[in-house]
Amino acid sequence: MAKPTQFAIRLLRWHEGIDRDLPWKKNRNPYQIWLSEIIMQQTRVAQGTPYYLKFVSEYPTITDLADAPEDDIMKLWQGLGYYSRARNLHHAAKTVRDEFDGDFPTAYKDILSLKGVGKYTAAAIASFAYGLEYAVVDGNVIRVLSRYYGITDAVDQSSTLRFIQEKADLLIKGSDPSDYNQAIMDFGALQCTPKSPNCAICAFEDTCTAYQKELVSIIPTKAKKIKKRTRYLHYLILEDSAGRVIIHHRREKDIWQSLYDYHCIESLTDTQLGEEEIRKDVLDNFGLEVESIIYPTKAYKHILTHQTLYGQFYQIKVDQISNINSPYLNIDQGAIPKYAMPVLITNYLDDTKKDKLFS
DNA sequence: AATGCGGGGAC
DNA sequence: GTCCCAGCATT
């Protein structure tokens, strides 16, 4: 058995004084660890924790999760973002139920084969749940090791990432894998932070290359820059006199896949829709006559990583709604809370509800 | 190798 | 405004 590396010894000594008290670290239940890791992908602990608690309470076992309707899972995921995680979560739960007899797989390669589980998540589960020696490489580890080794190459290049992974695989050797992985991520989150890390009091003051060369502020570097596009979404809220409304299940390859919204007309500028344009659209798409239109008085700005959205909501009364085809659905207005919707939509709905309280 | 996918918090 | 967060699937 190999002895821990010098890096690991210092790291774990630093970690002795740290206690983050995360709710999914109370035991080694692989289901709970997997669930927490999926939820925490690209998500801050403070944002994801309430969702973890909801899921583990609503679905105590992975079979409970597998048996649940997708709409229920999406609703519980509403507001967390990156909704493919929720779909993959459901898919993987069904795989465990059907292919692994309901028992979470214990072999690294089987864990990695699950939908939504990549190299990082597989290593996290394997080490935290089963004590297997797989080094995690997440945003924290990339930052810590790129600084430690003074790597100025862009960390969003696969060659750089491969190099970091190799170093991580060496550094973990001989240590308790669970402790080591937890420690290095805590170190990145609490000590070696993206901005103004606490280098003055650091366990690696004398061995960190970036600190020695005064490169801490410029490492890690990235090559790619994201460019945004702007979209104008005109939502038609079609409602009949019986209180039935038409909602839309987003099945296309686009943002918010699997969520529900309203019938949408998209434009490249922020100009409002004309009355005749609306009448024709509603007649062509649903065979319905428009009785009245309340035009939007404001646009809801919503910012995503790659897009800036402006949403406007047109309240439209139509004649009797019937025979609506997929991906459209007609429901009672009061049934809306059962369907997962984008935050842009729920922001609007919250505003309208508030308006009614004061009118 | 490159791209798209959310929402929010820190600065 | 910018950056980035317990990343992944798809092309």
Side-chain angles (χ1 to χ4, degrees), chain A residues 141-158:
Chain A
V141 176
I142 289 169
R143 185 171 57 255
V144 170
L145 295 188
S146 63
R147 283 174 177 165
Y148 187 77
Y149 290 107
I151 299 167
T152 52
D153 301 314
V155 297
D156 54 356
Q157 300 266 331
S158 56

Side-chain angles (χ1 to χ4, degrees), chain A residues 91-155:
Chain A
H91 185 282
K94 288 189 281 193
T95 300
V96 172
R97 182 192 63 192
D98 300 337
E99 310 291 332
F100 294 93
D101 201 24
D103 297 322
F104 203 91
T106 57
Y108 174 79
K109 67 171 196 332
D110 289 334
I111 299 169
L112 184 60
S113 76
L114 296 173
K115 266 280 190 296
V117 175
K119 214 169 174 185
Y120 160 77
T121 304
I125 298 168
S127 62
F128 294 145
Y130 306 121
L132 302 176
E133 192 178 80
Y134 289 91
V136 294
V137 176
D138 70 337
N140 290 308
V141 176
I142 289 169
R143 185 171 57 255
V144 170
L145 295 188
S146 63
R147 283 174 177 165
Y148 187 77
Y149 290 107
I151 299 167
T152 52
D153 301 314
V155 297

Side-chain angles (χ1 to χ4, degrees), chain A residues 198-260:
Chain A
N198 193 4
C199 296
I201 310 167
C202 180
F204 302 105
E205 188 184 343
D206 56 332
T207 52
C208 174
T209 306
Y211 183 65
Q212 295 294 324
K213 294 187 175 178
E214 297 187 1
L215 296 174
V216 173
S217 62
I218 65 159
I219 295 179
T221 65
K222 289 189 176 177
K224 303 169 191 149
K225 51 265 172 206
I226 62 164
K227 56 176 180 184
K228 288 197 171 189
R229 66 173 168 137
T230 300
R231 301 169 70 175
Y232 300 92
L233 309 178
H234 304 269
Y235 276 115
L236 308 189
I237 304 182
L238 304 170
E239 180 179 357
D240 67 12
S241 56
R244 305 285 292 178
V245 295
I246 295 177
I247 61 174
H248 168 237
H249 199 187
R250 298 183 65 89
R251 284 301 191 190
E252 63 274 27
K253 210 173 91 177
D254 194 3
I255 55 173
W256 302 328
Q257 194 177 118
S258 313
L259 270 59
Y260 292 82

Side-chain angles (χ1 to χ4, degrees), chain A residues 6-217:
Chain A
Q6 278 303 312
F7 178 87
I9 290 171
R10 287 202 194 190
L11 178 67
L12 289 167
R13 187 161 301 155
W14 168 85
H15 196 238
E16 280 171 14
I18 305 298
D19 183 15
R20 285 235 268 171
D21 193 32
L22 305 174
W24 51 92
K25 308 253 64 167
K26 296 190 192 304
N27 56 56
R28 293 192 166 218
N29 182 325
Y31 163 58
Q32 294 180 11
I33 291 169
W34 163 72
L35 176 61
S36 72
E37 291 299 341
I38 301 298
I39 287 174
M40 295 305 158
Q41 285 168 5
Q42 292 292 284
T43 302
R44 294 178 183 279
V45 168
Q47 188 188 3
T49 298
Y51 286 84
Y52 170 77
L53 295 173
K54 283 195 299 180
F55 268 87
V56 80
S57 167
E58 184 75 19
Y59 307 116
T61 71
I62 196 168
T63 307
D64 294 327
L65 184 62
D67 292 342
E70 175 171 287
D71 278 351
D72 290 1
I73 293 171
M74 300 312 298
K75 181 64 189 183
L76 215 55
W77 199 274
Q78 173 178 290
L80 192 55
Y82 282 163
Y83 297 93
S84 66
R85 289 182 294 167
R87 295 194 305 275
N88 291 336
L89 189 80
H90 195 203
H91 185 282
K94 288 189 281 193
T95 300
V96 172
R97 182 192 63 192
D98 300 337
E99 310 291 332
F100 294 93
D101 201 24
D103 297 322
F104 203 91
T106 57
Y108 174 79
K109 67 171 196 332
D110 289 334
I111 299 169
L112 184 60
S113 76
L114 296 173
K115 266 280 190 296
V117 175
K119 214 169 174 185
Y120 160 77
T121 304
I125 298 168
S127 62
F128 294 145
Y130 306 121
L132 302 176
E133 192 178 80
Y134 289 91
V136 294
V137 176
D138 70 337
N140 290 308
V141 176
I142 289 169
R143 185 171 57 255
V144 170
L145 295 188
S146 63
R147 283 174 177 165
Y148 187 77
Y149 290 107
I151 299 167
T152 52
D153 301 314
V155 297
D156 54 356
Q157 300 266 331
S158 56
S159 55
T160 311
L161 216 51
R162 267 200 305 279
F163 181 80
I164 293 173
Q165 179 76 53
E166 286 171 16
K167 294 299 186 187
D169 292 341
L170 291 174
L171 291 171
I172 197 176
K173 283 190 181 304
S175 295
D176 180 287
S178 176
D179 291 345
Y180 174 87
N181 279 336
Q182 188 58 52
I184 194 167
M185 287 196 288
D186 283 348
F187 186 77
L190 302 175
Q191 174 78 14
C192 195
T193 49
K195 285 166 194 164
S196 52
N198 193 4
C199 296
I201 310 167
C202 180
F204 302 105
E205 188 184 343
D206 56 332
T207 52
C208 174
T209 306
Y211 183 65
Q212 295 294 324
K213 294 187 175 178
E214 297 187 1
L215 296 174
V216 173
S217 62

Side-chain angles (χ1 to χ4, degrees), chain A residues 214-342:
Chain A
E214 297 187 1
L215 296 174
V216 173
S217 62
I218 65 159
I219 295 179
T221 65
K222 289 189 176 177
K224 303 169 191 149
K225 51 265 172 206
I226 62 164
K227 56 176 180 184
K228 288 197 171 189
R229 66 173 168 137
T230 300
R231 301 169 70 175
Y232 300 92
L233 309 178
H234 304 269
Y235 276 115
L236 308 189
I237 304 182
L238 304 170
E239 180 179 357
D240 67 12
S241 56
R244 305 285 292 178
V245 295
I246 295 177
I247 61 174
H248 168 237
H249 199 187
R250 298 183 65 89
R251 284 301 191 190
E252 63 274 27
K253 210 173 91 177
D254 194 3
I255 55 173
W256 302 328
Q257 194 177 118
S258 313
L259 270 59
Y260 292 82
D261 59 2
Y262 297 103
H263 176 50
C264 186
I265 299 175
E266 190 166 342
S267 66
L268 296 173
T269 65
D270 64 352
T271 52
Q272 283 194 336
L273 303 179
E275 185 176 334
E276 286 314 311
E277 188 180 359
I278 293 172
R279 288 185 181 280
K280 175 169 168 41
D281 182 274
V282 173
L283 189 59
D284 289 351
N285 281 292
F286 304 105
L288 293 169
E289 294 289 344
V290 169
E291 292 174 356
S292 69
I293 305 172
I294 300 178
Y295 270 77
T297 56
K298 63 175 281 196
Y300 287 77
K301 185 179 183 179
H302 193 72
I303 298 176
L304 307 180
T305 302
H306 295 272
Q307 303 182 18
T308 300
L309 308 174
Y310 294 92
Q312 296 190 73
F313 296 87
Y314 301 70
Q315 299 179 47
I316 299 173
K317 294 289 187 197
V318 295
D319 56 351
Q320 195 66 35
I321 296 172
S322 61
N323 297 329
I324 303 299
N325 296 320
S326 172
Y328 294 95
L329 204 60
N330 73 92
I331 62 169
D332 281 333
Q333 248 218 8
I336 284 179
K338 295 191 350 188
Y339 295 87
M341 292 182 153

